[in-house]
Amino acid sequence: MTEGQDPKTVEKLMGNVTVLLAAGEEIEYVAVQQKPLFNAFPDCVAVTPMRIIFCRLRNFGLSMEFKTYLWEDVQAMQFVGNVSSANITVKTARVTEIMGYLPQSQARKLHDFAKEREAEYAGQHLLRNREQATGLTSREIKISYEPSPVEPNGPLPDKPLKTDQQRKSSGKTSLHQTGYDRRGNAALPVY
């Protein structure tokens, strides 16, 4: 609470948000709205190592609405500063969430936390994308081939095919005798 957050609002938020937190998860930072005219029921943004939580007071402060977004799902976080306040926009694949009227120092701090988390999760996104890509395209295919015991055209001759040197010396260039076609590519013998 070094950037001028309202202590009562933060205390109320902390009491309600702790129910949402996972084991070992702690709130790292809280930004509280400062509306210019009527600031009796400010909204908040809380940041944990796992997620960002938007807290909105409803029914004149009698109830709270929480919207949580995991850092790994956040695609972009934008900080737009005005003269007296700033807006934070968090974009996921399905939702865009905006919190306005945040003091610029608090919005910058939130943006700094987001950049840290983005750097952490960027490596994980790349790794996950690679695993998904390789999991779909690189499958191991095992092919076993066993030659049939029956030879289709009868037994093979005992005489091996001639080598290039033997072919040149004999002057014969038929495919049957050499095992090469006219271009010099190896080919199967025709019997």
Side-chain angles (χ1 to χ4, degrees):
M1 296 188 16
T2 58
E3 281 81 24
Q5 293 94 329
D6 179 27
K8 291 180 182 180
T9 306
V10 173
E11 184 179 336
K12 186 174 183 178
L13 171 75
M14 295 294 278
N16 291 324
V17 170
T18 53
V19 177
L20 301 173
L21 301 179
E25 186 178 15
E26 295 178 358
I27 294 177
E28 292 182 343
Y29 188 75
V30 177
V32 180
Q33 274 185 339
Q34 288 184 349
K35 296 177 185 176
L37 297 176
F38 183 67
N39 199 35
F41 307 108
D43 295 334
C44 307
V45 179
V47 177
T48 72
M50 294 175 56
R51 61 184 130 186
I52 184 167
I53 304 167
F54 285 84
C55 311
R56 300 192 190 277
L57 292 173
R58 299 290 183 227
N59 300 325
F60 301 105
L62 297 175
S63 63
M64 291 185 107
E65 176 187 74
F66 298 98
K67 293 185 180 179
T68 65
Y69 303 100
L70 296 175
W71 285 113
E72 61 188 34
D73 295 335
V74 173
Q75 294 178 346
M77 187 165 179
Q78 186 179 12
F79 163 79
V80 179
N82 300 327
V83 175
S84 61
S85 65
N87 295 339
I88 289 288
T89 304
V90 174
K91 183 180 179 185
T92 65
R94 297 181 181 168
V95 179
T96 300
E97 190 75 36
I98 300 172
M99 178 71 69
Y101 299 111
L102 294 172
Q104 286 195 8
S105 60
Q106 294 177 30
R108 281 193 188 104
K109 192 86 165 174
L110 279 176
H111 195 257
D112 291 344
F113 277 107
K115 289 298 177 188
E116 290 174 18
R117 297 300 170 253
E118 183 181 357
E120 287 177 19
Y121 284 102
Q124 292 179 7
H125 279 295
L126 288 173
L127 183 62
R128 189 178 322 130
N129 289 342
R130 284 184 188 164
E131 288 173 357
Q132 288 174 352
T134 57
L136 294 174
T137 58
S138 65
R139 296 180 182 156
E140 290 185 30
I141 300 174
K142 295 182 180 180
I143 299 174
S144 61
Y145 173 75
E146 294 181 21
S148 63
V150 179
E151 297 172 4
N153 295 331
L156 293 175
D158 294 335
K159 174 171 74 167
L161 296 174
K162 293 184 179 181
T163 63
D164 285 341
Q165 198 170 30
Q166 291 172 343
R167 182 179 52 124
K168 288 178 184 175
S169 65
S170 70
K172 296 180 181 178
T173 59
S174 73
L175 178 63
H176 172 58
Q177 294 175 349
T178 62
Y180 293 93
D181 63 5
R182 292 182 186 172
R183 296 185 187 131
N185 296 326
L188 295 174
V190 179
Y191 294 102

